[in-house]
Amino acid sequence: MNPSINPPALDFWFDFASTYSYPAALRISERAEDAEVAINFRPFLLGPMFKAQGWTSSPFNLYPAKGGYMWRDLERICADLGLPFMRPDPFPQNSLIAARVALVGLRESWGEEFCLEVFRSQFGEGRRIDDTDAIAQILARLEIAPELVLKAALSEDNKARLRDQTDEAARRGIFGAPTFITADGELFWGNDRLERALLWAKQGI
Amino acid sequence: MNPSINPPALDFWFDFASTYSYPAALRISERAEDAEVAINFRPFLLGPMFKAQGWTSSPFNLYPAKGGYMWRDLERICADLGLPFMRPDPFPQNSLIAARVALVGLRESWGEEFCLEVFRSQFGEGRRIDDTDAIAQILARLEIAPELVLKAALSEDNKARLRDQTDEAARRGIFGAPTFITADGELFWGNDRLERALLWAKQGI
């Protein structure tokens, strides 16, 4: 990539609790490099959107046939990609604290690596990601001292930032995750649309 | 394909009203020939499954953000495949009569061509497929006299056959369309899973 030219950009919207966001997150950087597209990681919360549709849990829990299929499909996708796979319990994990910390990290240098580690820990090792201890352990693995980060994550400014990001997701028409949005506003939903989204980002069609 | 050896088989389950079943149906035969896999066309009705989940219409109508996305996504997919695309009105079309006639045709020689013509007419030309006249016109285009076919389609035997096929779809875990099921029971949902399903049918993994 020629650093003197701004590469085309693609926004990668995801919720840490979203199952198909796991393979998307783990493969997006390599695919984007091949396609010479810059990726912006945009964590948000699906929960408020689901609530607005009257859903009290993940649709994968509310519709068991679809949920059973999703787990099998995800297992196959991970096997094809050579990614470890283990179901977290309970599902879905509450992703609030992870998303708040990610927003701190994405303004520093370690945000993307933190996001990948949250996904690996949750869906590769089946660990919980829904409390401060779990997130502190992930930060420690990345050799980041958790105290200041967690304090910044829980600041009113940062909480508002995550609410704004989630509001923006809804305004842009996002209804699930992962979602990819090009600079000209074209929206692609699902891990299986990543390649098409990269092509659109590059070619504008 | 060597006719002396039975090729691996893949069941192609679809509802005529299902939007993503359109590109799947129009491309499956060529892809299957390349993969040396035999396809069984299995029309069924999604309506009873949706009703069992408490849905009174297509989820694409009930969830407008998802529905709006689907139409745009389908438009892009058709453009990529070089398929004409036009939305039928109303959506979804009642697919009962088309499915009953398809079951007659699939026991004769013209079933698959009839299925493709129903999809082309509905999603390529935006025509209705929900009444006897529309189906009679499609049969006429295929140079099939409609009278006997429609009589067979409306026989009690044939009605029961469609109910059985729809019951079988539910028993097999189908919750949407298109769905592909291999001989060893592996289920793949969605037009975008066709290639993976063909590979599984051929390699058993």
Side-chain angles (χ1 to χ4, degrees):
Chain A
M1 224 181 269
N2 185 336
S4 69
I5 300 171
N6 279 338
L10 187 66
D11 282 347
F12 168 39
W13 292 85
F14 59 92
D15 182 317
F16 284 109
S18 149
T19 53
Y20 287 107
S21 294
Y22 166 49
L26 272 284
R27 71 200 191 88
I28 197 169
S29 296
E30 195 178 327
R31 301 294 166 110
E33 199 171 320
D34 292 346
E36 300 182 346
V37 170
I39 303 295
N40 302 316
F41 276 50
R42 311 285 310 261
F44 73 106
L45 298 180
L46 272 173
M49 291 185 190
F50 286 174
K51 266 188 203 144
Q53 299 190 334
W55 293 338
T56 52
S57 178
S58 162
F60 293 130
N61 290 339
L62 298 174
Y63 304 108
K66 197 166 184 173
Y69 170 75
M70 177 278 291
W71 289 114
R72 177 64 182 143
D73 189 47
L74 186 64
E75 188 180 23
R76 287 190 306 236
I77 289 170
C78 291
D80 284 349
L81 294 170
L83 290 177
F85 169 68
M86 197 175 294
R87 283 173 69 153
D89 180 31
F91 173 82
Q93 292 282 299
N94 184 321
S95 54
L96 179 62
I97 179 70
R100 284 176 174 166
V101 169
L103 285 190
V104 175
L106 289 165
R107 292 197 305 282
E108 304 185 7
S109 62
W110 48 272
E112 294 190 13
E113 196 47 52
F114 172 79
C115 293
L116 300 191
E117 200 55 33
V118 171
F119 279 119
R120 278 192 208 107
S121 180
Q122 180 186 196
F123 292 113
E125 301 169 15
R127 296 195 201 195
R128 301 185 69 137
I129 58 141
D130 60 352
D131 65 20
T132 309
D133 279 356
I135 296 301
Q137 280 180 36
I138 288 171
L139 288 168
R141 270 197 254 177
L142 299 175
E143 300 184 347
I144 295 161
E147 292 75 14
L148 282 178
V149 167
L150 287 168
K151 198 180 162 194
L154 295 172
S155 70
E156 290 310 313
D157 267 11
N158 194 61
K159 289 179 180 177
R161 209 169 276 124
L162 181 59
R163 280 194 299 274
D164 289 349
Q165 183 123 304
T166 296
D167 289 346
E168 184 185 339
R171 267 200 320 277
R172 287 186 171 220
I174 290 175
F175 56 88
T179 292
F180 312 101
I181 305 187
T182 63
D184 62 347
E186 197 72 17
L187 187 152
F188 296 85
W189 172 50
N191 171 58
D192 38 36
R193 293 294 187 279
L194 171 58
E195 282 73 10
R196 191 62 189 84
L198 287 167
L199 194 68
W200 192 289
K202 210 173 157 69
Q203 305 190 337
I205 190 164
Chain B
M1 227 182 269
N2 184 335
S4 70
I5 299 174
N6 279 338
L10 187 66
D11 282 348
F12 168 40
W13 291 85
F14 60 92
D15 182 317
F16 284 109
S18 148
T19 52
Y20 287 106
S21 294
Y22 167 49
L26 271 285
R27 70 200 192 88
I28 196 168
S29 295
E30 194 178 327
R31 301 293 165 112
E33 198 171 319
D34 291 345
E36 299 183 346
V37 170
I39 303 296
N40 301 317
F41 276 50
R42 310 285 311 261
F44 74 105
L45 298 181
L46 273 173
M49 291 186 192
F50 286 173
K51 266 189 201 144
Q53 298 189 334
W55 294 337
T56 53
S57 179
S58 163
F60 294 130
N61 290 341
L62 299 174
Y63 304 107
K66 197 167 184 171
Y69 170 76
M70 178 278 292
W71 288 115
R72 177 63 182 144
D73 190 47
L74 187 64
E75 189 179 25
R76 287 190 306 236
I77 288 169
C78 290
D80 284 348
L81 293 170
L83 289 176
F85 170 68
M86 196 176 293
R87 284 173 68 153
D89 181 31
F91 172 81
Q93 292 282 299
N94 185 323
S95 54
L96 179 63
I97 180 70
R100 284 175 174 165
V101 169
L103 284 190
V104 174
L106 291 166
R107 292 197 304 282
E108 303 184 7
S109 62
W110 48 272
E112 295 190 12
E113 196 46 53
F114 172 79
C115 293
L116 300 191
E117 200 56 34
V118 171
F119 278 119
R120 276 190 209 109
S121 180
Q122 181 187 195
F123 292 113
E125 300 169 18
R127 296 196 202 195
R128 302 186 67 137
I129 58 142
D130 59 353
D131 65 20
T132 309
D133 279 356
I135 296 300
Q137 280 180 34
I138 288 170
L139 288 168
R141 271 196 255 177
L142 300 175
E143 300 185 349
I144 295 162
E147 293 75 14
L148 282 178
V149 168
L150 288 168
K151 196 178 164 196
L154 295 172
S155 71
E156 290 309 313
D157 267 11
N158 193 62
K159 288 179 181 178
R161 210 169 276 122
L162 181 58
R163 279 195 300 274
D164 289 348
Q165 184 124 304
T166 296
D167 289 347
E168 184 185 339
R171 265 199 321 277
R172 288 188 173 218
I174 290 175
F175 55 89
T179 292
F180 313 101
I181 304 186
T182 63
D184 62 347
E186 197 70 18
L187 188 152
F188 295 85
W189 173 49
N191 171 57
D192 39 36
R193 293 294 187 280
L194 172 58
E195 283 73 10
R196 191 62 188 86
L198 287 168
L199 194 68
W200 191 289
K202 210 173 158 71
Q203 304 190 339
I205 190 165

